[in-house]
Amino acid sequence: MVERGGSGVPGGRRKQRVSMADVAKLAGVSSQTVSRVSNGHPGVIASTREQVLAAMRELGYRPNSAARALRYGQFNTIGVILFSLSSTGNSRTVEAIATHAAAEGYAITLIPIDVPTQDNVLGAFTRMGELAVDAVVVIMEVHLLDTGTVQLPPGVHVVVVDSDAGDRYCVVDTDQADGARKAVRHLLDLGHETVWHVTGPESSYAGQRRTQAWRTELQEAGRPVPPLLHGDWSAESGYAAGLALADRPDCTAVFTANDQMALGVLRAFHERGVAVPEDISVVGFDDIPDAAYFVPPLTTVHQDFAEVGRRCVEKALQQIRGAGGVPAGTDLVPTSLVVRGSTGSPRR
Amino acid sequence: MVERGGSGVPGGRRKQRVSMADVAKLAGVSSQTVSRVSNGHPGVIASTREQVLAAMRELGYRPNSAARALRYGQFNTIGVILFSLSSTGNSRTVEAIATHAAAEGYAITLIPIDVPTQDNVLGAFTRMGELAVDAVVVIMEVHLLDTGTVQLPPGVHVVVVDSDAGDRYCVVDTDQADGARKAVRHLLDLGHETVWHVTGPESSYAGQRRTQAWRTELQEAGRPVPPLLHGDWSAESGYAAGLALADRPDCTAVFTANDQMALGVLRAFHERGVAVPEDISVVGFDDIPDAAYFVPPLTTVHQDFAEVGRRCVEKALQQIRGAGGVPAGTDLVPTSLVVRGSTGSPRR
DNA sequence: CCACGCGATGTTTACGTAAACATGGACTGC
DNA sequence: GCAGTCCATGTTTACGTAAACATCGCGTGG
């Protein structure tokens, strides 16, 4: 008796997974019929279908996606390139991308770049080029990419987050400028003469835009523009900035470029005996879940990361499914200001 | 004249990507030679190699990974199934997995499950079964999986995080019990009579083990075991627990099952005028980056998520590369206690 | 009553790659 | 000087799937 799979040894190594041919043999039909059953195509009589399904069950058949991808010319997968999942924004955006992609039958492949050197980015893209991916979402400033000879793989569709490349790529992003303006306006409306600002790292385009909008809003209101305090998104950098600000009697309001830095600022103020919001008001950016439980609860600009992720998937699928026209342009997701306990009118 | 790929129109739609055959034709060699050059095999003379490389460059050739996967029978991809990326632990673990996988030439595919119903989990696994994946890392309690007829796809290697399934699967996890014991011991050593506890959600095995270790440690020390306060990882639930604890004069020390809930507790205490650590000491779990900037800085149990991720990849690759022996068992990553400002001796 | 049509199923082929085998020319050793 | 060898390269084939085309049998209308 010949044992299926050539496994003369019972329970021996079966390196090969079961294929349609195996199922077909067991069910006594052709592999094409198995294919039809597997894909739910019509034109298979009920009894035959049952037979095939039984054979599939018995053998534990699962379609080979590599063969499928080869046959169809696509992978049903979207790649995501990013620096870090550590930041709240990135991980929430990725999660939303994954969720919406899954709903459309797409999986997502993550390509992290630990150190943002040109080489690593290039490497990731080269690798990505060979990757089983129909489209790529890039969560980072693309000027890191196209300074030199680096080219996005020509055949792959691209959506970019956190970038000003709207002229060349399809960009989705939070409306950073609008959010920052709302923060500044809120503080000015409360009666503050001006607003100090703790920035994000210079490498972040999102950070740059928040800073720029902060400056513009102050200038348009005819207010003095205080010197920048440079941060790097971390609570630690916020803490350092907070210590510096606590010593300035002329500071009554601070806008930090994210919530974590706001946390550091709050702690510095607390240590120095600066009361928030009585002495100084603080506004953050992001609205991380914890922000409502800072001491005091943080007034901040809410970002809709889920919506950003959703639109990324939407654009990616448009490009994949659409004939080929690349809809470059920037799609901005609105923000909202969440007023909590860290802001108030200046004591004067 | 027959036009290849119908590319009679310059710049027209080229749905087909360039294949080895295209490169071969342009370079005037066979496709096998192109293959050899592409894979860096020896036995190709320099001049020929140059010619092929030039043709590749000209056509923008990139290997088709689907065909490769089909040929080789593997995908060089590891799947990751999880509920949520929102929790610090998960996203950091995933990041570590992605980084280490990348270093080994593997990409990772993310399968999120938005709502942890049996159906969704089953669906994810069914889908995963068809997915182009050589191994799967499951970041969740597996009892959600194998209660019913749900079976992990037999051909796919599995590593589980956050589970007690060490008898059946290959499990990697933080040594939760040890961490919790360290937290409790630290507080007892400071002179506290006993330690209260705010739990994680009951669905979390990690949470269960922390709670269990907390109870064991108290019992072994012959201390009374206070009633549990139930949380769900969120700062909000910690806040609620904190309000309850603030009213208990017999409470001098709290161990919260994560840092976010500790944040909520701290805020509740601050609101109620309870001084930390003078009136009540607080210890968290995770050591999120922000913990050092809480008010006061949080004493907490540090988890090495990066190491967890690294070991997941290691185990997965062992299974993929190893003949087939499945090394079931639990691999625990040690924790360390980080003492900051939120703990001190009881005032008495 | 036969041809035609249609529905169910089988057969061929192509997707892109790379191992295995084949070829053919140059060089070596005796 | 000729057989043996080895090296560079070409040819064949298989991986698993599914579209396109082929076949076969049965029912029906003219």
Side-chain angles (χ1 to χ4, degrees):
Chain A
M1 175 202 263
V2 177
E3 286 173 323
R4 173 167 30 83
S7 57
V9 183
R13 27 199 314 81
R14 64 164 85 165
K15 197 178 175 68
Q16 307 291 11
R17 274 181 23 182
V18 299
S19 73
M20 280 194 169
D22 301 320
V23 176
K25 199 186 300 180
L26 179 62
V29 299
S30 78
S31 66
Q32 181 58 206
T33 300
V34 177
S35 169
R36 280 190 266 256
V37 172
S38 173
N39 293 38
H41 283 270
V44 180
I45 211 165
S47 63
T48 309
R49 159 168 280 117
E50 247 346 287
Q51 232 171 325
V52 171
L53 288 174
M56 281 181 173
R57 246 173 282 127
E58 179 173 342
L59 296 176
Y61 169 77
R62 285 174 302 127
N64 180 319
S65 49
R68 268 201 170 140
L70 177 58
R71 193 69 184 69
Y72 285 132
Q74 60 171 8
F75 305 94
N76 277 17
T77 297
I78 295 174
V80 178
I81 300 189
L82 39 53
F83 284 151
S84 165
L85 267 180
S86 309
S87 90
T88 319
N90 280 4
S91 66
R92 302 235 324 255
T93 303
V94 169
E95 182 166 30
I97 290 174
T99 303
H100 289 286
E104 298 281 349
Y106 278 72
I108 78 159
T109 290
L110 225 54
I111 307 290
I113 302 175
D114 28 349
V115 185
T117 65
Q118 184 88 19
D119 272 0
N120 279 346
V121 176
L122 174 50
F125 266 84
T126 306
R127 197 149 24 92
M128 189 61 99
E130 308 177 1
L131 230 50
V133 157
D134 302 313
V136 170
V137 177
V138 182
I139 308 187
M140 65 183 164
E141 175 46 59
V142 281
H143 72 239
L144 281 164
L145 293 175
D146 43 29
T147 53
T149 55
V150 190
Q151 286 281 47
L152 293 178
V156 178
H157 305 293
V158 178
V159 177
V160 181
V161 180
D162 184 19
S163 170
D164 63 343
D167 52 330
R168 288 160 299 152
Y169 297 113
C170 184
V171 174
V172 174
D173 207 352
T174 293
D175 193 343
Q176 312 285 355
D178 179 60
R181 256 182 270 119
K182 279 174 176 155
V184 173
R185 183 108 301 277
H186 169 63
L187 290 166
L188 295 184
D189 286 349
L190 283 171
H192 295 274
E193 167 67 15
T194 190
V195 177
W196 291 63
H197 179 51
V198 183
T199 72
E202 283 179 23
S203 58
S204 161
Y205 187 65
Q208 285 178 31
R209 272 171 304 166
R210 290 173 201 174
T211 299
Q212 196 180 336
W214 158 81
R215 180 178 291 116
T216 305
E217 188 70 16
L218 285 182
Q219 286 170 342
E220 285 180 0
R223 307 304 174 86
V225 178
L228 288 175
L229 290 105
H230 295 280
D232 61 6
W233 294 145
S234 75
E236 184 177 1
S237 67
Y239 178 71
L243 290 180
L245 286 173
D247 290 338
R248 309 218 38 145
D250 55 340
C251 171
T252 67
V254 188
F255 165 48
T256 63
N258 79 346
D259 287 351
Q260 250 129 44
M261 294 195 297
L263 177 66
V265 167
L266 289 177
R267 174 149 121 75
F269 286 178
H270 183 264
E271 270 184 15
R272 292 299 176 91
V274 174
V276 177
E278 291 78 6
D279 295 326
I280 306 187
S281 288
V282 178
V283 177
F285 205 110
D286 281 355
D287 193 23
I288 63 176
D290 290 356
Y293 294 88
F294 286 180
V295 178
L298 187 68
T299 295
T300 188
V301 178
H302 179 85
Q303 282 203 70
D304 193 346
F305 295 110
E307 177 65 12
V308 172
R310 195 189 67 72
R311 292 196 194 179
C312 284
V313 172
E314 186 181 272
K315 300 253 174 213
L317 291 182
Q318 269 175 19
Q319 291 189 57
I320 292 171
R321 292 171 180 162
V326 181
T330 303
D331 185 11
L332 292 180
V333 177
T335 59
S336 59
L337 183 72
V338 181
V339 179
R340 298 203 181 93
S342 67
T343 49
S345 294
R347 206 196 298 240
R348 260 291 84 192
Chain B
M1 175 202 260
V2 177
E3 289 170 324
R4 167 169 39 86
S7 61
V9 183
R13 23 200 317 80
R14 63 164 84 165
K15 198 177 175 68
Q16 308 290 12
R17 273 182 22 184
V18 298
S19 73
M20 281 193 167
D22 300 320
V23 176
K25 198 185 301 181
L26 179 62
V29 299
S30 77
S31 66
Q32 184 56 48
T33 300
V34 176
S35 170
R36 279 189 267 257
V37 172
S38 172
N39 293 39
H41 283 271
V44 179
I45 211 167
S47 62
T48 308
R49 158 167 282 117
E50 245 347 287
Q51 232 171 324
V52 171
L53 288 174
M56 281 181 173
R57 244 172 284 126
E58 179 172 343
L59 295 176
Y61 168 78
R62 283 174 302 130
N64 180 319
S65 49
R68 270 202 167 136
L70 177 59
R71 195 69 185 65
Y72 286 131
Q74 60 171 4
F75 306 95
N76 276 18
T77 297
I78 296 174
V80 178
I81 299 190
L82 39 52
F83 283 152
S84 165
L85 265 180
S86 310
S87 90
T88 318
N90 280 3
S91 65
R92 302 232 327 253
T93 303
V94 169
E95 181 166 34
I97 291 174
T99 302
H100 288 286
E104 297 282 348
Y106 277 72
I108 78 159
T109 289
L110 225 55
I111 308 290
I113 301 175
D114 27 349
V115 185
T117 66
Q118 184 88 18
D119 273 0
N120 279 347
V121 177
L122 175 50
F125 265 84
T126 306
R127 195 147 29 90
M128 189 60 102
E130 308 177 2
L131 229 52
V133 157
D134 301 313
V136 171
V137 177
V138 182
I139 307 188
M140 65 183 163
E141 176 45 60
V142 281
H143 71 238
L144 282 164
L145 292 176
D146 42 28
T147 52
T149 55
V150 191
Q151 286 281 47
L152 293 178
V156 178
H157 305 293
V158 177
V159 177
V160 181
V161 181
D162 185 19
S163 170
D164 64 343
D167 52 331
R168 290 161 296 154
Y169 297 113
C170 184
V171 174
V172 173
D173 207 351
T174 292
D175 192 342
Q176 313 285 352
D178 180 61
R181 256 182 269 118
K182 278 175 177 153
V184 173
R185 184 108 299 279
H186 169 64
L187 290 166
L188 295 184
D189 285 349
L190 283 171
H192 295 273
E193 168 65 16
T194 189
V195 176
W196 292 63
H197 178 52
V198 184
T199 72
E202 283 180 20
S203 59
S204 162
Y205 187 65
Q208 284 178 32
R209 273 172 304 168
R210 290 173 202 174
T211 299
Q212 196 179 336
W214 158 81
R215 179 179 291 114
T216 304
E217 187 70 17
L218 285 182
Q219 287 170 340
E220 285 180 0
R223 306 304 174 85
V225 178
L228 287 176
L229 290 104
H230 294 281
D232 61 5
W233 294 145
S234 73
E236 184 176 2
S237 67
Y239 178 72
L243 290 180
L245 286 173
D247 291 336
R248 310 220 33 147
D250 56 340
C251 171
T252 67
V254 188
F255 165 48
T256 63
N258 78 348
D259 288 351
Q260 251 129 43
M261 295 195 296
L263 176 66
V265 167
L266 290 178
R267 175 150 120 76
F269 286 179
H270 182 263
E271 270 184 16
R272 292 300 176 91
V274 174
V276 177
E278 290 78 8
D279 296 324
I280 306 186
S281 287
V282 178
V283 176
F285 205 111
D286 280 355
D287 193 22
I288 61 176
D290 291 354
Y293 293 89
F294 287 180
V295 178
L298 187 69
T299 294
T300 188
V301 178
H302 179 85
Q303 282 203 71
D304 193 345
F305 295 109
E307 177 64 13
V308 172
R310 195 189 67 71
R311 292 196 194 179
C312 284
V313 172
E314 186 182 271
K315 301 253 175 215
L317 292 181
Q318 269 173 20
Q319 292 189 55
I320 292 172
R321 291 172 179 161
V326 181
T330 303
D331 186 11
L332 292 180
V333 177
T335 60
S336 59
L337 182 73
V338 181
V339 179
R340 298 203 181 93
S342 67
T343 50
S345 294
R347 206 197 295 242
R348 261 288 88 194

